[in-house]
Amino acid sequence: MTVKVISGDARPWRAYRFPPRSSQPAVDWSGDAAGLQRAMADGFQQGIEKGYQDGLQQGEEAGRQAGFEQGRDEGLKLGREEGRSEGRREFELAAQPLQQISEKVEQYLGELEHKRRQELLELVKKVSQQVIRCELTLHPTQLLALVEEALTSMPGEPEDVQVLLSPEEYARIKALAPERAANWKLVADERLALGECRVVTPQAEADVGCQQRLDACIDTLAEHLHLTEA
């Protein structure tokens, strides 16, 4: 390419040539078709190699980055899980003495509550016995009411019935209600304690004393208080 330069002093112009784009000298392949083919093949192979190396480098870099991020995420996840597991183990180990103390306290409180209920049951039994004794001392003929209640479910005739009492209550009934005592065949039995009474017929025998009734009530109360053995 030439450029015509016009000077103001009207000097003659000269042609200007641009430098070649490549610093390497151009090769004339017009007379060497095989060389041209080889050069093209070499250039193509060099392009492939360069593209492969560039792609490999970029792939390695992307792979390293992806592997780093994946490894970091998996490491964080694994670390959190191991941290939680280790924390749970440490907590369980640290809580074992507290758990043992809690179990002992619970056992002690359970035993204390059981003892308290037993003492309450014994108190109820003793108070009931005292009330029964006082009531029978004032009204010994109440035993005859128990006898009449028992006879309604027993076979035999009333004249064949024997009523066994303790000597003390036998004497009180004879003294306080002789007319009622005359209607029954009362028998003093030294083997019976105060409040005890047995009804005997030719066909059957029944315990109508206060103690067995009290024992039945106490057993029911013990069951309600969960004091009976399984």
Side-chain angles (χ1 to χ4, degrees):
M1 179 178 180
T2 59
V3 178
K4 183 178 180 180
V5 179
I6 300 177
S7 174
D9 54 2
R11 287 184 295 179
W13 59 273
R14 58 184 179 82
Y16 177 81
R17 296 181 179 277
F18 288 97
R21 296 182 178 180
S22 175
S23 60
Q24 297 179 352
V27 179
D28 186 7
W29 300 102
S30 59
D32 189 2
L36 176 61
Q37 189 71 22
R38 287 194 301 273
M40 292 177 63
D42 291 343
F44 180 75
Q45 185 65 31
Q46 290 177 1
I48 292 177
E49 289 293 333
K50 187 176 185 306
Y52 173 77
Q53 293 297 331
D54 292 344
L56 180 62
Q57 183 178 1
Q58 294 177 1
E60 288 179 350
E61 181 64 25
R64 282 196 298 271
Q65 183 66 23
F68 172 77
E69 293 178 356
Q70 182 179 3
R72 181 188 60 184
D73 294 340
E74 292 179 354
L76 290 175
K77 181 179 179 181
L78 181 60
R80 285 194 295 267
E81 292 177 354
E82 291 181 352
R84 283 195 294 266
S85 299
E86 184 65 24
R88 188 179 299 108
R89 286 194 297 268
E90 292 292 336
F91 176 79
E92 291 175 354
L93 289 175
Q96 283 182 356
L98 181 60
Q99 179 67 24
Q100 295 174 356
I101 294 175
S102 177
E103 291 175 355
K104 290 182 179 179
V105 170
E106 185 175 355
Q107 180 181 0
Y108 170 76
L109 292 177
E111 293 175 352
L112 184 63
E113 178 64 16
H114 187 271
K115 182 179 179 181
R116 187 186 67 82
R117 293 184 181 186
Q118 283 184 324
E119 292 174 349
L120 177 61
L121 189 65
E122 289 296 326
L123 178 61
V124 170
K125 184 176 181 180
K126 290 179 180 179
V127 171
S128 300
Q129 287 174 337
Q130 292 295 330
V131 171
I132 291 173
R133 287 173 184 170
C134 293
E135 185 66 21
L136 290 177
T137 299
L138 297 174
H139 306 285
T141 55
Q142 289 188 2
L143 286 175
L144 298 181
L146 298 178
V147 172
E148 293 173 350
E149 180 183 345
L151 286 175
T152 59
S153 59
M154 293 179 65
E157 297 297 329
E159 59 270 12
D160 297 332
V161 175
Q162 288 186 347
V163 180
L164 280 60
L165 305 167
S166 67
E168 294 85 351
E169 286 168 336
Y170 173 81
R172 289 197 191 99
I173 292 174
K174 295 281 285 185
L176 295 175
E179 68 285 353
R180 293 192 64 184
N183 295 329
W184 301 98
K185 187 177 180 180
L186 302 181
V187 179
D189 190 340
E190 295 182 353
R191 295 172 300 177
L192 297 179
L194 290 174
E196 296 307 299
C197 179
R198 302 188 69 82
V199 179
V200 181
T201 68
Q203 293 83 16
E205 181 176 345
D207 183 357
V208 297
C210 297
Q211 187 62 45
Q212 61 91 16
R213 294 172 180 264
L214 176 61
D215 290 341
C217 293
I218 293 299
D219 291 341
T220 302
L221 182 58
E223 184 177 355
H224 179 72
L225 295 175
H226 306 288
L227 295 175
T228 55
E229 296 182 0

